[in-house]
Amino acid sequence: MAALTVAAAVALSACSSTAPAASSRDAAVARAADDSLYRGSELQAPYFSKPDLLLTDTTGQPFDLRKKTAGRAVLLFFGYTNCPDVCPTTLSDVALALKEQPQDVRDKTDVVFVTTDPERDTPQVLKKWLASFDARFIGLSGDLEKIKAAARLLGISVEDPEKHHDGTVTSSHGGQVMAFLPTDDKAHVVYLTNTPLKTFTHDLPLLAQGKQTDAAR
């Protein structure tokens, strides 16, 4: 079976001029597209576990990622509201793809956006920004070191925000979206930067059903 390495590709596009290198899971591989049910990059075992992460949601309440999203399809994305390109484009595509799905798929799917710039991305800021894409999107903010550690466990690099002389701030972070299945709460599929809208549209029903390529044989 042909396979392709995604360590370098999964690693990283960032919302800044400098993209950090991958920090873990260098051996991660994805199934060849013609051998997968998914159009995204389907990871091979051992799969990433959902991070054990307790942050604050857009209502100001504690949000336990594992407990609150258990048994649901989850698209997890790290980024920040002032991102000029990757973040808004990715969230817009996911939102549009979800709108094309039947109600049962939307009801079984959570989109979780974790800020990499918590100093500026307060719960109120996140709520207003995410509502421009889809009010159902879950925004999480909190301790940056916890966020960086959780991202690192998924092979996603997140660096401290960089403040520039003109007052702007950039946050270098991985641009991939990790998709967790409802059947085992593990990440089976990754979507890289510039994933086409049609890829999300095709894959969302499969994610909601917890489909796995090996199990389908």
Side-chain angles (χ1 to χ4, degrees):
M1 176 178 65
L4 62 106
T5 343
V6 293
V10 168
L12 291 155
S13 49
C15 297
S16 72
S17 58
T18 304
S23 58
S24 66
R25 190 66 180 272
D26 288 342
V29 294
R31 255 180 245 284
D34 59 359
D35 194 39
S36 173
L37 292 172
Y38 293 91
R39 292 182 183 174
S41 299
E42 187 177 5
L43 300 171
Q44 294 181 342
Y47 303 112
F48 291 108
S49 294
K50 192 178 294 178
D52 184 10
L53 191 57
L54 179 63
L55 294 172
T56 302
D57 67 17
T58 55
T59 69
Q61 298 301 308
F63 190 97
D64 186 314
L65 181 63
R66 284 186 177 176
K67 290 182 179 179
K68 291 284 190 178
T69 64
R72 298 177 59 75
V74 176
L75 298 181
L76 179 63
F77 183 49
F78 294 82
Y80 68 119
T81 64
N82 285 283
C83 172
D85 39 45
V86 175
C87 301
T89 299
T90 300
L91 289 180
S92 178
D93 284 344
V94 171
L96 289 171
L98 269 175
K99 288 179 181 178
E100 296 184 27
Q101 304 304 318
Q103 189 64 46
D104 66 318
V105 172
R106 296 198 298 269
D107 288 345
K108 295 175 182 176
T109 305
D110 286 331
V111 177
V112 181
F113 181 80
V114 180
T115 181
T116 58
D117 184 15
E119 182 177 334
R120 294 188 301 165
D121 287 347
T122 63
Q124 295 78 12
V125 169
L126 279 174
K127 183 177 182 177
K128 181 178 180 180
W129 187 73
L130 289 174
S132 66
F133 304 103
D134 190 321
R136 294 167 299 179
F137 284 1
I138 299 167
L140 300 179
S141 185
D143 183 76
L144 181 58
E145 291 307 313
K146 288 183 179 180
I147 292 169
K148 288 164 62 176
R152 192 179 306 117
L153 291 175
L154 299 173
I156 300 173
S157 180
V158 172
E159 296 187 347
D160 291 336
E162 181 181 358
K163 298 182 179 179
H164 305 287
H165 295 300
D166 61 0
T168 60
V169 178
T170 54
S171 175
S172 296
H173 62 86
Q176 62 269 42
V177 176
M178 304 299 293
F180 297 80
L181 297 188
T183 45
D184 62 4
D185 289 326
K186 293 183 182 295
H188 288 252
V189 187
V190 60
Y191 299 93
L192 307 181
T193 304
N194 297 323
T195 292
L197 170 61
K198 62 184 179 181
T199 294
F200 289 116
T201 303
H202 174 273
D203 286 3
L204 283 171
L206 300 175
L207 294 170
Q209 297 173 51
K211 294 290 187 179
Q212 295 186 45
T213 296
D214 289 339
R217 293 175 177 173

